[in-house]
Amino acid sequence: MSPLDRTVAILGDLIAYPTVSADSNLALITHAAERLGDAGAAIHIHRDHSGEKANLFATIGPDRPGGVVLSGHSDVVPALEPEWESDPFAMRMQDGRLHGRGACDMKGFIACMLAMAETFAARDLVRPVHFALTYDEEVGCLGARQLVQDLAAAGIRPAAAIIGEPTNMRMIEGHKGCCEYTTRFKGLEGHGSNPDAGVNAIEYAVRYAARMAEIGRGLRNEPVPGSRFEPPFTTVQIGRIEGGAARNVIAGDCLIEWEMRPVRPGDAERVKRDLALFCDEVLLPEMRRVSPGCFIETDVIGEVAGLEPVADNEARDIVARLTGANDCDVVAFGTEAGLFQEFGMSAIVCGPGSIEQAHKPNEYVALSELDACLAMLHGLADTLSR
């Protein structure tokens, strides 16, 4: 079986695990661990506090510091769109494309990693290659945050990380941070015929959202001169609002799920400080004049560091040699790469498939993209053997 055929077969297995972030990824992690273990990798599995999610970290090669991490997240976004032309968790091949939820984001790269394990194991590696599979990237990079903490505790210090998010095999050396929050509003329910007798949580949530939109417009007017990011300013965006019970009931509860993607140091703290002041000085005093038990609370879902372009980047230099690429880009979407960089590794984002396909019905990765990724990993095996 050719490496590409083996990768396609593995990808079919991976897509069949419905690892939506709300559900467990343990079956996929067990499957990957068995494959890597069969290739002779040293396996480490670390579960989260619930016991239902886990990271996998495996190593092939000498037990020494350094080496290169190949990293992919195991979770996927839901596949509830009616536009799916087939079962999203049963891979479908058509016109040189492999369709299925997670095909490009990012089980295609994971399939390439697993398909190459035997190749790495057959080489006399002078530097180790590490395989990292994480949980809950799509909801705040929670698994990668735990992973770097576990590596630090174990004294494991890889030198470079290749994060295989879908980039059409282009090198990405920088991206914005990604901060995700849920803000909850507790009001006082009552009959809709007498609004002044209650505290409408939706009303105050709407005012909070309006203030957020005002802040966003202000940030739009403060682009960073010469920025390579598009857009070249910090963005604030509301993804979901939920609240209320019925038309004739004063809403006692409401929540807003929102995100921020900072491009400038200090922007994130500035936005949070502005919103906190608006709550403390305007919204809460009004709410508590009617009911002292009212509150507004913000939960941090994830605050992921951006990937900073740096002059000295071994991961970039390795991938450039392997792919023949001469330039790097930056992107607005976030990845786990910033966490690896914060941990002290050089990091680059490069993987098969297009981000334009991610999170959409009929998501796919092209066979040609998987083939290009396998060629890069074959070259990495040569590099680490020298």
Side-chain angles (χ1 to χ4, degrees), residues 134-159:
T134 60
Y135 65 86
D136 285 0
E137 186 271 351
E138 298 288 6
V139 290
C141 295
L142 306 183
R145 189 176 298 279
Q146 178 185 338
L147 176 67
V148 295
Q149 293 171 352
D150 291 336
L151 293 181
I156 300 173
R157 289 281 176 179

Side-chain angles (χ1 to χ4, degrees), residues 1 7 29 61 70 112 121 148 159 211 239 250 298 321 325 340 356 368:
M1 182 182 291
T7 301
I29 291 296
L70 304 174
C112 291
V148 295
R211 178 58 185 155
I250 300 169
T298 295
R321 288 195 300 270
F340 289 106
E356 296 301 319
S368 59

Side-chain angles (χ1 to χ4, degrees), residues 180-200:
E180 299 180 340
Y181 308 94
T182 297
T183 300
R184 305 178 188 278
F185 300 79
K186 180 63 177 177
L188 178 65
E189 287 189 345
H191 198 285
S193 63
N194 188 7
D196 291 343
V199 178
N200 193 314

